[in-house]
Amino acid sequence: MNKTQIIESLVPGALLSYEKHSIFPSLTIAQAILETGWLNHVKCNNIFGIKWTKNCGYEVQEFNTHEFINGINTPMVCKFRKYNSIGDSLLDHGKLLSYSRYKSVIASKTYTEACINVYNSGYCTDAEYPKKLINIIEQNKLYIYDAAPISKHSNSDDSENIKYFQSCLIKMKIKDINNNVLVMDGLSGILTTSVVKKFQNIVGITSDGICGSTTLAAIKIIMNKPTCSINNTTNKLAIRYLQYRVETNIDGIYGSVTKSCVEKYQKNNKLVIDGIIGKSSWQYLLS
């Protein structure tokens, strides 16, 4: 897997840990990346190097490792927990950080504070640990998963604006990072941000999870239901969305392959089979 795929594989578990234990997803993902070298060094699905303790509920496995003792990197043999899956490791990490010892981590207001507090609480002996985590978060924009705002500015109309975005994304049938349909609640949380980011990737605009003017314009283009066919190929943004829905290569080009996939979609959904996305097909796509 490349770095993007690795991050995407960790996001669902990190979000679930955030929901259950209030640990910033950016911190969880960054720690997993740092501890394993981008998942290149994973043993027994233990991606955080959590030590085994009696009655912890997990099997034990011994590994050679290093600890910083009095500033010296010292080789040691330690006992670590053995998990059935990486998902189990992610949740156990959240459970560990929910203990009173790490209360400052949960109380952190920003990912920077969380990175510093997890070190100060004794999670790791490497004095460079917070800096390394912060670099990973910022270089890979992991902070986008920490309930990033859906718009750049706040005002009294934010809730209604967010509800509009959510209603459009629901109609477009774009699901969140956990593969669930959005709830139209007017809240700009992690799940809404994940859908906005997914939409941006689909239509080929900057994928930052922020619904600014460019994203709003893209949403409006699709909601206006422009006719798309082999003879109407100028609206590449709408074509990219259609290609996503009919499950073909997303390139913004309405060629013979896309036409064939549209016809298949129309047939499967008992629509007029003409290879043209017009009023009736759009009505079904956005119903």
Side-chain angles (χ1 to χ4, degrees):
M1 293 190 293
N2 60 34
K3 289 184 177 182
T4 298
Q5 291 170 327
I6 289 170
I7 291 171
E8 289 177 349
S9 74
L10 295 169
V11 166
L15 292 179
L16 186 57
S17 179
Y18 177 74
E19 180 181 341
K20 288 180 174 292
H21 305 295
S22 300
I23 309 301
F24 276 125
S26 62
L27 173 65
T28 300
I29 298 168
Q31 283 192 279
I33 290 170
L34 180 57
E35 298 285 349
T36 64
W38 289 94
L39 300 187
N40 284 317
H41 308 289
V42 180
K43 296 180 179 179
C44 298
N45 291 316
N46 191 332
I47 57 177
F48 298 99
I50 297 178
K51 302 287 179 57
W52 180 87
T53 54
K54 189 176 181 180
N55 298 322
C56 68
Y58 297 96
E59 294 183 28
V60 60
Q61 182 69 46
E62 291 187 347
F63 296 121
N64 294 320
T65 186
H66 291 79
E67 298 282 352
F68 283 86
I69 301 176
N70 296 323
I72 300 174
N73 196 358
T74 307
M76 302 178 67
V77 177
C78 296
K79 294 180 178 180
F80 293 90
R81 299 180 187 186
K82 184 178 181 179
Y83 300 102
N84 291 326
S85 68
I86 284 180
D88 288 342
S89 182
L90 286 161
L91 283 179
D92 194 40
H93 167 266
K95 181 179 178 181
L96 175 68
L97 295 190
S98 69
Y99 293 164
S100 59
R101 172 182 175 181
Y102 296 102
K103 62 182 180 180
S104 64
V105 178
I106 294 177
S108 299
K109 302 299 183 183
T110 66
Y111 65 84
T112 303
E113 285 184 19
C115 292
I116 294 171
N117 288 332
V118 78
Y119 167 74
N120 288 338
S121 299
Y123 185 94
C124 179
T125 56
D126 181 4
E128 295 294 308
Y129 196 68
K131 182 179 179 180
K132 292 175 182 177
L133 291 176
I134 292 169
N135 285 340
I136 291 172
I137 290 171
E138 294 182 347
Q139 288 171 7
N140 297 281
K141 299 182 179 179
L142 300 181
Y143 46 75
I144 195 68
Y145 301 109
D146 294 342
I150 195 169
S151 62
K152 293 182 178 179
H153 306 288
S154 301
N155 57 61
S156 59
D157 296 326
D158 270 357
S159 179
E160 290 306 312
N161 289 338
I162 293 168
K163 284 182 179 180
Y164 171 73
F165 298 140
Q166 290 171 329
S167 68
C168 293
L169 294 168
I170 290 169
K171 289 178 180 178
M172 291 181 202
K173 298 178 175 61
I174 301 176
K175 296 183 178 180
D176 66 29
I177 197 70
N178 292 321
N179 200 36
N180 295 321
V181 176
L182 273 178
V183 175
M184 196 171 69
D185 55 11
L187 301 177
S188 58
I190 296 173
L191 298 180
T192 296
T193 299
S194 73
V195 180
V196 171
K197 190 173 183 180
K198 187 174 181 180
F199 169 76
Q200 291 168 330
N201 277 321
I202 290 169
V203 299
I205 60 178
T206 301
S207 179
D208 56 10
I210 298 172
C211 200
S213 58
T214 301
T215 303
L216 178 58
I219 287 175
K220 288 183 175 180
I221 286 172
I222 292 171
M223 298 310 293
N224 284 335
K225 306 173 184 176
T227 299
C228 297
S229 69
I230 282 198
N231 296 320
N232 292 274
T233 62
T234 57
N235 200 324
K236 296 186 181 299
L237 185 148
I239 292 171
R240 286 178 65 94
Y241 170 71
L242 294 172
Q243 289 171 326
Y244 163 74
R245 289 297 304 278
V246 301
E247 300 180 346
T248 188
N249 182 48
I250 301 175
D251 58 11
I253 300 172
Y254 202 116
S256 58
V257 174
T258 296
K259 180 176 184 291
S260 176
C261 290
V262 166
E263 290 173 342
K264 181 179 178 181
Y265 180 87
Q266 291 172 326
K267 179 180 179 180
N268 290 340
N269 293 287
K270 299 180 180 180
L271 301 170
V272 175
I273 305 171
D274 57 9
I276 299 172
I277 297 296
K279 185 176 181 180
S280 60
S281 292
W282 270 118
Q283 190 66 30
Y284 189 86
L285 283 164
L286 301 177
S287 61

